[in-house]
Amino acid sequence: MNAHGLYGYKYLDHYWTEAGRYAYFIQIDEQYAGFVLIRTEIEGEFHSGIHSIAEFFVLKKYRRMGIGRQVAVQAFDQYPGTWEVCQEPENKPSILFWDRIVGEYTHNQFEVRMGSKQRVLIFQSPAARI
């Protein structure tokens, strides 16, 4: 976020104009708490025809309440198939979060690869369990 509370993302408009891009806002008690941007049917780091978390953000005051886990699981369930979750190698909190969430979700049946600039978790999401 910048000084005005805005989150600058140069591809944001594409989520309303291109197929295979989905934007979801996270709300708690009618307050915005974050967002998740999902891309699907893209060329991934290691696979094609996959789903990917493009951006995932929960405001600090809503973290450590299980909200991020709930949103991630809903996303994985909504889009069954192969997933890649990319992380910046130096972002240790992100790595800890995603390793825990994906590990719980898949019963530790995921692969970790180092891409050209990112650490990538690869796993399968079964058909929606809802």
mmCIF file of all heavy atoms in Angstrom, residues 56-92:
data_model
loop_
_atom_site.group_PDB
_atom_site.id
_atom_site.type_symbol
_atom_site.label_atom_id
_atom_site.label_comp_id
_atom_site.label_asym_id
_atom_site.label_seq_id
_atom_site.Cartn_x
_atom_site.Cartn_y
_atom_site.Cartn_z
ATOM 1 N N PHE A 56 -2.081 -11.875 -2.791
ATOM 2 C CA PHE A 56 -2.856 -12.278 -1.629
ATOM 3 C C PHE A 56 -2.489 -11.319 -0.515
ATOM 4 O O PHE A 56 -1.323 -11.193 -0.161
ATOM 5 C CB PHE A 56 -2.486 -13.712 -1.244
ATOM 6 C CG PHE A 56 -3.387 -14.339 -0.221
ATOM 7 C CD1 PHE A 56 -4.458 -15.111 -0.616
ATOM 8 C CD2 PHE A 56 -3.141 -14.180 1.131
ATOM 9 C CE1 PHE A 56 -5.283 -15.710 0.321
ATOM 10 C CE2 PHE A 56 -3.958 -14.769 2.081
ATOM 11 C CZ PHE A 56 -5.030 -15.542 1.675
ATOM 12 N N PHE A 57 -3.491 -10.626 0.021
ATOM 13 C CA PHE A 57 -3.189 -9.609 1.029
ATOM 14 C C PHE A 57 -4.296 -9.568 2.070
ATOM 15 O O PHE A 57 -5.482 -9.507 1.726
ATOM 16 C CB PHE A 57 -3.057 -8.235 0.369
ATOM 17 C CG PHE A 57 -2.807 -7.119 1.330
ATOM 18 C CD1 PHE A 57 -1.564 -6.946 1.905
ATOM 19 C CD2 PHE A 57 -3.823 -6.245 1.675
ATOM 20 C CE1 PHE A 57 -1.331 -5.920 2.802
ATOM 21 C CE2 PHE A 57 -3.597 -5.208 2.567
ATOM 22 C CZ PHE A 57 -2.353 -5.049 3.132
ATOM 23 N N VAL A 58 -3.893 -9.609 3.341
ATOM 24 C CA VAL A 58 -4.808 -9.429 4.460
ATOM 25 C C VAL A 58 -4.242 -8.290 5.303
ATOM 26 O O VAL A 58 -3.048 -8.305 5.651
ATOM 27 C CB VAL A 58 -4.937 -10.716 5.308
ATOM 28 C CG1 VAL A 58 -5.818 -10.475 6.527
ATOM 29 C CG2 VAL A 58 -5.493 -11.862 4.469
ATOM 30 N N LEU A 59 -5.083 -7.297 5.605
ATOM 31 C CA LEU A 59 -4.635 -6.191 6.447
ATOM 32 C C LEU A 59 -4.099 -6.718 7.772
ATOM 33 O O LEU A 59 -4.612 -7.698 8.324
ATOM 34 C CB LEU A 59 -5.789 -5.223 6.721
ATOM 35 C CG LEU A 59 -6.222 -4.344 5.557
ATOM 36 C CD1 LEU A 59 -7.544 -3.655 5.877
ATOM 37 C CD2 LEU A 59 -5.149 -3.311 5.251
ATOM 38 N N LYS A 60 -3.079 -6.061 8.271
ATOM 39 C CA LYS A 60 -2.374 -6.521 9.460
ATOM 40 C C LYS A 60 -3.316 -6.766 10.641
ATOM 41 O O LYS A 60 -3.180 -7.761 11.358
ATOM 42 C CB LYS A 60 -1.294 -5.511 9.843
ATOM 43 C CG LYS A 60 -0.316 -6.028 10.842
ATOM 44 C CD LYS A 60 0.846 -5.078 11.014
ATOM 45 C CE LYS A 60 1.924 -5.726 11.856
ATOM 46 N NZ LYS A 60 3.129 -4.913 11.905
ATOM 47 N N LYS A 61 -4.302 -5.897 10.842
ATOM 48 C CA LYS A 61 -5.182 -6.047 12.000
ATOM 49 C C LYS A 61 -6.065 -7.294 11.918
ATOM 50 O O LYS A 61 -6.636 -7.705 12.919
ATOM 51 C CB LYS A 61 -6.018 -4.790 12.231
ATOM 52 C CG LYS A 61 -7.167 -4.588 11.303
ATOM 53 C CD LYS A 61 -7.870 -3.279 11.655
ATOM 54 C CE LYS A 61 -9.338 -3.312 11.342
ATOM 55 N NZ LYS A 61 -10.017 -2.115 11.814
ATOM 56 N N TYR A 62 -6.169 -7.914 10.735
ATOM 57 C CA TYR A 62 -6.978 -9.119 10.562
ATOM 58 C C TYR A 62 -6.135 -10.388 10.451
ATOM 59 O O TYR A 62 -6.679 -11.473 10.270
ATOM 60 C CB TYR A 62 -7.864 -8.985 9.326
ATOM 61 C CG TYR A 62 -8.899 -7.886 9.466
ATOM 62 C CD1 TYR A 62 -8.790 -6.718 8.718
ATOM 63 C CD2 TYR A 62 -9.972 -8.022 10.335
ATOM 64 C CE1 TYR A 62 -9.732 -5.714 8.838
ATOM 65 C CE2 TYR A 62 -10.913 -7.020 10.458
ATOM 66 C CZ TYR A 62 -10.795 -5.866 9.712
ATOM 67 O OH TYR A 62 -11.729 -4.877 9.843
ATOM 68 N N ARG A 63 -4.839 -10.258 10.560
ATOM 69 C CA ARG A 63 -3.975 -11.430 10.456
ATOM 70 C C ARG A 63 -3.992 -12.226 11.761
ATOM 71 O O ARG A 63 -4.354 -11.716 12.805
ATOM 72 C CB ARG A 63 -2.538 -10.999 10.117
ATOM 73 C CG ARG A 63 -2.453 -10.398 8.737
ATOM 74 C CD ARG A 63 -1.053 -9.968 8.397
ATOM 75 N NE ARG A 63 -1.067 -9.224 7.143
ATOM 76 C CZ ARG A 63 -0.054 -8.523 6.694
ATOM 77 N NH1 ARG A 63 1.076 -8.472 7.373
ATOM 78 N NH2 ARG A 63 -0.159 -7.867 5.551
ATOM 79 N N ARG A 64 -3.605 -13.491 11.650
ATOM 80 C CA ARG A 64 -3.529 -14.410 12.777
ATOM 81 C C ARG A 64 -4.904 -14.694 13.394
ATOM 82 O O ARG A 64 -5.033 -14.985 14.580
ATOM 83 C CB ARG A 64 -2.560 -13.920 13.836
ATOM 84 C CG ARG A 64 -1.132 -13.774 13.279
ATOM 85 C CD ARG A 64 -0.172 -13.558 14.387
ATOM 86 N NE ARG A 64 1.114 -14.166 14.386
ATOM 87 C CZ ARG A 64 1.548 -15.317 13.885
ATOM 88 N NH1 ARG A 64 0.755 -16.072 13.221
ATOM 89 N NH2 ARG A 64 2.777 -15.737 14.002
ATOM 90 N N MET A 65 -5.937 -14.586 12.553
ATOM 91 C CA MET A 65 -7.301 -14.885 12.978
ATOM 92 C C MET A 65 -7.879 -16.054 12.167
ATOM 93 O O MET A 65 -9.050 -16.377 12.309
ATOM 94 C CB MET A 65 -8.185 -13.646 12.796
ATOM 95 C CG MET A 65 -7.745 -12.449 13.629
ATOM 96 S SD MET A 65 -8.607 -10.916 13.195
ATOM 97 C CE MET A 65 -10.258 -11.286 13.725
ATOM 98 N N GLY A 66 -7.074 -16.633 11.282
ATOM 99 C CA GLY A 66 -7.542 -17.740 10.459
ATOM 100 C C GLY A 66 -8.221 -17.309 9.166
ATOM 101 O O GLY A 66 -8.669 -18.145 8.380
ATOM 102 N N ILE A 67 -8.271 -16.007 8.942
ATOM 103 C CA ILE A 67 -8.947 -15.481 7.750
ATOM 104 C C ILE A 67 -8.181 -15.840 6.484
ATOM 105 O O ILE A 67 -8.766 -16.275 5.492
ATOM 106 C CB ILE A 67 -9.141 -13.962 7.879
ATOM 107 C CG1 ILE A 67 -10.106 -13.682 9.031
ATOM 108 C CG2 ILE A 67 -9.615 -13.345 6.575
ATOM 109 C CD1 ILE A 67 -10.028 -12.302 9.593
ATOM 110 N N GLY A 68 -6.872 -15.670 6.494
ATOM 111 C CA GLY A 68 -6.058 -15.996 5.329
ATOM 112 C C GLY A 68 -6.192 -17.468 4.962
ATOM 113 O O GLY A 68 -6.338 -17.813 3.792
ATOM 114 N N ARG A 69 -6.168 -18.332 5.959
ATOM 115 C CA ARG A 69 -6.333 -19.766 5.727
ATOM 116 C C ARG A 69 -7.691 -20.044 5.098
ATOM 117 O O ARG A 69 -7.799 -20.781 4.115
ATOM 118 C CB ARG A 69 -6.197 -20.531 7.036
ATOM 119 C CG ARG A 69 -6.353 -22.025 6.857
ATOM 120 C CD ARG A 69 -6.527 -22.736 8.219
ATOM 121 N NE ARG A 69 -6.698 -24.148 8.012
ATOM 122 C CZ ARG A 69 -7.813 -24.706 7.548
ATOM 123 N NH1 ARG A 69 -8.848 -23.975 7.232
ATOM 124 N NH2 ARG A 69 -7.889 -26.020 7.388
ATOM 125 N N GLN A 70 -8.738 -19.465 5.658
ATOM 126 C CA GLN A 70 -10.097 -19.679 5.149
ATOM 127 C C GLN A 70 -10.228 -19.228 3.697
ATOM 128 O O GLN A 70 -10.793 -19.933 2.868
ATOM 129 C CB GLN A 70 -11.099 -18.943 6.026
ATOM 130 C CG GLN A 70 -12.537 -19.128 5.614
ATOM 131 C CD GLN A 70 -13.494 -18.367 6.515
ATOM 132 O OE1 GLN A 70 -13.119 -17.791 7.530
ATOM 133 N NE2 GLN A 70 -14.748 -18.362 6.134
ATOM 134 N N VAL A 71 -9.686 -18.072 3.372
ATOM 135 C CA VAL A 71 -9.762 -17.546 2.010
ATOM 136 C C VAL A 71 -8.963 -18.424 1.046
ATOM 137 O O VAL A 71 -9.424 -18.731 -0.054
ATOM 138 C CB VAL A 71 -9.285 -16.078 1.964
ATOM 139 C CG1 VAL A 71 -9.115 -15.583 0.543
ATOM 140 C CG2 VAL A 71 -10.261 -15.186 2.724
ATOM 141 N N ALA A 72 -7.775 -18.839 1.454
ATOM 142 C CA ALA A 72 -6.949 -19.695 0.598
ATOM 143 C C ALA A 72 -7.661 -21.014 0.308
ATOM 144 O O ALA A 72 -7.729 -21.452 -0.850
ATOM 145 C CB ALA A 72 -5.592 -19.952 1.252
ATOM 146 N N VAL A 73 -8.215 -21.642 1.322
ATOM 147 C CA VAL A 73 -8.915 -22.914 1.137
ATOM 148 C C VAL A 73 -10.129 -22.729 0.219
ATOM 149 O O VAL A 73 -10.378 -23.564 -0.656
ATOM 150 C CB VAL A 73 -9.318 -23.522 2.502
ATOM 151 C CG1 VAL A 73 -10.317 -24.657 2.344
ATOM 152 C CG2 VAL A 73 -8.068 -24.010 3.231
ATOM 153 N N GLN A 74 -10.864 -21.643 0.393
ATOM 154 C CA GLN A 74 -12.007 -21.384 -0.493
ATOM 155 C C GLN A 74 -11.548 -21.247 -1.942
ATOM 156 O O GLN A 74 -12.194 -21.753 -2.857
ATOM 157 C CB GLN A 74 -12.758 -20.124 -0.052
ATOM 158 C CG GLN A 74 -13.577 -20.327 1.189
ATOM 159 C CD GLN A 74 -14.256 -19.042 1.645
ATOM 160 O OE1 GLN A 74 -13.954 -17.947 1.173
ATOM 161 N NE2 GLN A 74 -15.165 -19.171 2.588
ATOM 162 N N ALA A 75 -10.431 -20.563 -2.150
ATOM 163 C CA ALA A 75 -9.902 -20.402 -3.514
ATOM 164 C C ALA A 75 -9.499 -21.749 -4.090
ATOM 165 O O ALA A 75 -9.855 -22.075 -5.231
ATOM 166 C CB ALA A 75 -8.719 -19.442 -3.507
ATOM 167 N N PHE A 76 -8.764 -22.553 -3.315
ATOM 168 C CA PHE A 76 -8.315 -23.855 -3.804
ATOM 169 C C PHE A 76 -9.502 -24.757 -4.127
ATOM 170 O O PHE A 76 -9.499 -25.470 -5.126
ATOM 171 C CB PHE A 76 -7.409 -24.545 -2.783
ATOM 172 C CG PHE A 76 -6.171 -23.773 -2.415
ATOM 173 C CD1 PHE A 76 -5.578 -23.959 -1.173
ATOM 174 C CD2 PHE A 76 -5.584 -22.865 -3.291
ATOM 175 C CE1 PHE A 76 -4.431 -23.266 -0.815
ATOM 176 C CE2 PHE A 76 -4.440 -22.167 -2.944
ATOM 177 C CZ PHE A 76 -3.869 -22.370 -1.703
ATOM 178 N N ASP A 77 -10.524 -24.723 -3.268
ATOM 179 C CA ASP A 77 -11.709 -25.544 -3.500
ATOM 180 C C ASP A 77 -12.506 -25.072 -4.716
ATOM 181 O O ASP A 77 -13.079 -25.882 -5.439
ATOM 182 C CB ASP A 77 -12.623 -25.536 -2.274
ATOM 183 C CG ASP A 77 -12.127 -26.417 -1.142
ATOM 184 O OD1 ASP A 77 -11.188 -27.206 -1.356
ATOM 185 O OD2 ASP A 77 -12.691 -26.307 -0.039
ATOM 186 N N GLN A 78 -12.549 -23.769 -4.923
ATOM 187 C CA GLN A 78 -13.348 -23.225 -6.032
ATOM 188 C C GLN A 78 -12.747 -23.535 -7.401
ATOM 189 O O GLN A 78 -13.458 -23.632 -8.388
ATOM 190 C CB GLN A 78 -13.506 -21.713 -5.879
ATOM 191 C CG GLN A 78 -14.448 -21.122 -6.898
ATOM 192 C CD GLN A 78 -14.817 -19.686 -6.581
ATOM 193 O OE1 GLN A 78 -14.571 -19.180 -5.497
ATOM 194 N NE2 GLN A 78 -15.408 -19.020 -7.554
ATOM 195 N N TYR A 79 -11.419 -23.696 -7.452
ATOM 196 C CA TYR A 79 -10.731 -23.944 -8.715
ATOM 197 C C TYR A 79 -9.918 -25.240 -8.611
ATOM 198 O O TYR A 79 -8.708 -25.211 -8.402
ATOM 199 C CB TYR A 79 -9.813 -22.771 -9.068
ATOM 200 C CG TYR A 79 -10.553 -21.471 -9.234
ATOM 201 C CD1 TYR A 79 -10.663 -20.566 -8.186
ATOM 202 C CD2 TYR A 79 -11.158 -21.156 -10.452
ATOM 203 C CE1 TYR A 79 -11.355 -19.376 -8.346
ATOM 204 C CE2 TYR A 79 -11.852 -19.970 -10.616
ATOM 205 C CZ TYR A 79 -11.950 -19.084 -9.553
ATOM 206 O OH TYR A 79 -12.633 -17.917 -9.703
ATOM 207 N N PRO A 80 -10.576 -26.389 -8.753
ATOM 208 C CA PRO A 80 -9.838 -27.650 -8.651
ATOM 209 C C PRO A 80 -8.829 -27.806 -9.787
ATOM 210 O O PRO A 80 -9.010 -27.257 -10.873
ATOM 211 C CB PRO A 80 -10.929 -28.719 -8.724
ATOM 212 C CG PRO A 80 -12.144 -28.046 -9.225
ATOM 213 C CD PRO A 80 -11.991 -26.582 -9.003
ATOM 214 N N GLY A 81 -7.767 -28.540 -9.517
ATOM 215 C CA GLY A 81 -6.731 -28.794 -10.513
ATOM 216 C C GLY A 81 -5.363 -28.480 -9.954
ATOM 217 O O GLY A 81 -5.147 -28.442 -8.750
ATOM 218 N N THR A 82 -4.426 -28.231 -10.843
ATOM 219 C CA THR A 82 -3.047 -27.937 -10.449
ATOM 220 C C THR A 82 -2.921 -26.474 -10.041
ATOM 221 O O THR A 82 -3.424 -25.577 -10.718
ATOM 222 C CB THR A 82 -2.079 -28.231 -11.613
ATOM 223 O OG1 THR A 82 -2.237 -29.592 -12.007
ATOM 224 C CG2 THR A 82 -0.638 -27.972 -11.211
ATOM 225 N N TRP A 83 -2.230 -26.257 -8.948
ATOM 226 C CA TRP A 83 -1.976 -24.915 -8.424
ATOM 227 C C TRP A 83 -0.479 -24.667 -8.301
ATOM 228 O O TRP A 83 0.289 -25.581 -8.000
ATOM 229 C CB TRP A 83 -2.583 -24.773 -7.022
ATOM 230 C CG TRP A 83 -4.022 -24.405 -7.027
ATOM 231 C CD1 TRP A 83 -5.084 -25.273 -7.117
ATOM 232 C CD2 TRP A 83 -4.568 -23.099 -6.915
ATOM 233 N NE1 TRP A 83 -6.248 -24.562 -7.071
ATOM 234 C CE2 TRP A 83 -5.966 -23.221 -6.947
ATOM 235 C CE3 TRP A 83 -4.008 -21.829 -6.796
ATOM 236 C CZ2 TRP A 83 -6.815 -22.137 -6.865
ATOM 237 C CZ3 TRP A 83 -4.854 -20.742 -6.714
ATOM 238 C CH2 TRP A 83 -6.238 -20.896 -6.743
ATOM 239 N N GLU A 84 -0.099 -23.421 -8.527
ATOM 240 C CA GLU A 84 1.233 -22.923 -8.184
ATOM 241 C C GLU A 84 1.043 -21.711 -7.275
ATOM 242 O O GLU A 84 0.253 -20.825 -7.587
ATOM 243 C CB GLU A 84 2.007 -22.467 -9.416
ATOM 244 C CG GLU A 84 2.520 -23.572 -10.287
ATOM 245 C CD GLU A 84 3.367 -23.057 -11.439
ATOM 246 O OE1 GLU A 84 3.478 -21.824 -11.643
ATOM 247 O OE2 GLU A 84 3.925 -23.903 -12.141
ATOM 248 N N VAL A 85 1.740 -21.709 -6.170
ATOM 249 C CA VAL A 85 1.768 -20.540 -5.291
ATOM 250 C C VAL A 85 3.214 -20.090 -5.243
ATOM 251 O O VAL A 85 4.085 -20.798 -4.739
ATOM 252 C CB VAL A 85 1.231 -20.854 -3.882
ATOM 253 C CG1 VAL A 85 1.358 -19.630 -2.981
ATOM 254 C CG2 VAL A 85 -0.224 -21.314 -3.951
ATOM 255 N N CYS A 86 3.471 -18.925 -5.823
ATOM 256 C CA CYS A 86 4.835 -18.401 -5.912
ATOM 257 C C CYS A 86 5.106 -17.446 -4.756
ATOM 258 O O CYS A 86 4.219 -16.708 -4.324
ATOM 259 C CB CYS A 86 5.036 -17.672 -7.243
ATOM 260 S SG CYS A 86 4.758 -18.721 -8.685
ATOM 261 N N GLN A 87 6.349 -17.463 -4.291
ATOM 262 C CA GLN A 87 6.758 -16.586 -3.204
ATOM 263 C C GLN A 87 8.132 -16.013 -3.502
ATOM 264 O O GLN A 87 8.948 -16.658 -4.159
ATOM 265 C CB GLN A 87 6.833 -17.374 -1.882
ATOM 266 C CG GLN A 87 5.601 -18.121 -1.557
ATOM 267 C CD GLN A 87 5.922 -19.499 -1.006
ATOM 268 O OE1 GLN A 87 7.027 -19.995 -1.099
ATOM 269 N NE2 GLN A 87 4.930 -20.131 -0.432
ATOM 270 N N GLU A 88 8.355 -14.836 -2.984
ATOM 271 C CA GLU A 88 9.685 -14.245 -3.043
ATOM 272 C C GLU A 88 10.543 -14.972 -2.008
ATOM 273 O O GLU A 88 10.138 -15.088 -0.847
ATOM 274 C CB GLU A 88 9.637 -12.753 -2.718
ATOM 275 C CG GLU A 88 8.758 -11.944 -3.657
ATOM 276 C CD GLU A 88 9.278 -11.923 -5.075
ATOM 277 O OE1 GLU A 88 10.517 -11.912 -5.254
ATOM 278 O OE2 GLU A 88 8.451 -11.919 -6.000
ATOM 279 N N PRO A 89 11.715 -15.493 -2.383
ATOM 280 C CA PRO A 89 12.527 -16.271 -1.439
ATOM 281 C C PRO A 89 12.902 -15.526 -0.163
ATOM 282 O O PRO A 89 13.068 -16.138 0.878
ATOM 283 C CB PRO A 89 13.781 -16.618 -2.246
ATOM 284 C CG PRO A 89 13.361 -16.524 -3.663
ATOM 285 C CD PRO A 89 12.295 -15.455 -3.721
ATOM 286 N N GLU A 90 12.995 -14.210 -0.227
ATOM 287 C CA GLU A 90 13.369 -13.449 0.968
ATOM 288 C C GLU A 90 12.183 -13.109 1.858
ATOM 289 O O GLU A 90 12.357 -12.606 2.967
ATOM 290 C CB GLU A 90 14.127 -12.167 0.588
ATOM 291 C CG GLU A 90 13.345 -11.178 -0.227
ATOM 292 C CD GLU A 90 13.323 -11.472 -1.719
ATOM 293 O OE1 GLU A 90 14.000 -12.398 -2.184
ATOM 294 O OE2 GLU A 90 12.604 -10.745 -2.429
ATOM 295 N N ASN A 91 10.961 -13.406 1.429
ATOM 296 C CA ASN A 91 9.764 -13.103 2.216
ATOM 297 C C ASN A 91 9.456 -14.292 3.131
ATOM 298 O O ASN A 91 8.594 -15.115 2.845
ATOM 299 C CB ASN A 91 8.584 -12.775 1.299
ATOM 300 C CG ASN A 91 7.383 -12.268 2.063
ATOM 301 O OD1 ASN A 91 7.266 -12.465 3.265
ATOM 302 N ND2 ASN A 91 6.480 -11.634 1.346
ATOM 303 N N LYS A 92 10.157 -14.361 4.241
ATOM 304 C CA LYS A 92 10.033 -15.494 5.169
ATOM 305 C C LYS A 92 8.618 -15.655 5.730
ATOM 306 O O LYS A 92 8.129 -16.779 5.822
ATOM 307 C CB LYS A 92 11.043 -15.376 6.310
ATOM 308 C CG LYS A 92 12.489 -15.322 5.844
ATOM 309 C CD LYS A 92 12.895 -16.542 5.061
ATOM 310 C CE LYS A 92 14.348 -16.454 4.660
ATOM 311 N NZ LYS A 92 14.692 -17.276 3.539
#
